[in-house]
Amino acid sequence: MTRLLASVASLAELTLAARGGADILDLKNPKTGALGAWPLDGIVRAVDTARQWPVRAPLSATVGDLPMAPAIVAGRVVETWACGVDYVKIGLFPSGDPAGCVKALAPDARRGARIVAVLFADLWNDPDTLLPDIARAGFAGAMLDTAGKGSGGLLRHKTKDELARFLAQARDHGLLTGLAGSLRLEDIPTLLPLVPDYLGFRTALCAGADRGGVLDPAALAAVRDAVPKQPFTG
């Protein structure tokens, strides 16, 4: 069953996305990169806000577009996890030492941090290669996204068969799976049959498909209608 992840850039959007039925609320600043991070105090405020709701969707938070330096990545993930979110998302870029970053995060994953690796379809020729390392390190999940938001969406960079292979290999390793990357409303019928655990949206949820703009309740409702509501069990 596939769930809807909505990336939100403010507390107001957090509330809007929750009321609009998003299954996962993803704290991300779209103006500062593919995985632009909220400030840590903002993440804490979001967690405190969500805890006041009688029922809430899980919260994830990105850590920013970091250099692939293990000490830097591990430090930021630890800080973000300490804010109280349910998942921390870390982008893995092919430059630098992505494998070293995964290894550096293993102790925190084994202590309970729920880390999701984000691999970029427009940067990795074969994003499947790191999946065994990601699973061995104890990560919670792996997803495909795009780094260059102006270079077209996910389906421009990977075929349906390539996406299906990535998802199958991630599942075989026991990882939660996700697809994102400038997804459009019309992409949903193509991607739903692949049954990722979640589809992630920002651009399609904003007025005028401007990912740097604000969430539009009507756009969110259209995406929500296209991704059948499922209970969260992950």
Side-chain angles (χ1 to χ4, degrees):
M1 299 297 183
T2 299
R3 308 176 194 93
L4 165 60
L5 177 150
S7 291
V8 298
S10 67
L11 289 177
E13 288 191 354
L14 178 76
T15 300
L16 188 157
R19 290 175 177 169
D23 299 303
I24 306 176
L25 303 168
D26 180 47
L27 310 178
K28 179 165 67 176
N29 183 352
K31 295 182 179 179
T32 58
L35 294 180
W38 280 39
L40 295 175
D41 60 347
I43 297 173
V44 171
R45 285 196 296 273
V47 170
D48 289 344
T49 297
R51 283 177 176 164
Q52 297 174 38
W53 302 335
V55 178
R56 73 168 180 87
L59 268 62
S60 62
T62 59
V63 298
D65 294 346
L66 300 177
M68 293 292 90
I72 293 173
V73 167
R76 182 67 183 191
V77 168
V78 167
E79 291 174 339
T80 304
W81 177 251
C83 294
V85 293
D86 299 286
Y87 296 93
V88 178
K89 291 166 59 183
I90 172 64
L92 297 176
F93 297 87
S95 58
D97 186 12
C101 292
V102 171
K103 184 177 180 180
L105 290 169
D108 297 296
R110 291 168 185 154
R111 284 193 291 266
R114 304 185 79 184
I115 305 169
V116 174
V118 181
L119 295 148
F120 297 103
D122 50 343
L123 300 181
W124 289 89
N125 291 326
D126 187 0
D128 309 347
T129 55
L130 273 183
L131 290 175
D133 291 340
I134 290 165
R136 278 193 296 269
F139 280 39
M143 66 176 294
L144 277 181
D145 200 336
T146 57
K149 301 305 181 183
S151 62
L154 181 67
L155 287 166
R156 178 175 177 179
H157 299 285
K158 298 297 177 190
T159 66
K160 187 176 177 180
D161 286 345
E162 288 173 323
L163 297 177
R165 184 172 66 248
F166 175 86
L167 294 172
Q169 292 188 20
R171 288 189 203 103
D172 287 346
H173 287 294
L175 297 164
L176 287 172
T177 61
L179 299 175
S182 298
L183 299 183
R184 303 169 299 172
L185 183 64
E186 53 264 39
D187 294 330
I188 295 173
T190 299
L191 298 176
L192 277 182
L194 302 180
V195 200
D197 288 306
Y198 60 91
L199 291 174
F201 296 90
R202 173 67 192 179
T203 301
L205 306 181
C206 295
D210 175 12
R211 71 185 298 268
V214 296
L215 257 61
D216 175 18
L220 173 58
V223 173
R224 176 71 280 176
D225 287 346
V227 181
K229 180 74 173 175
Q230 302 293 339
F232 188 87
T233 57

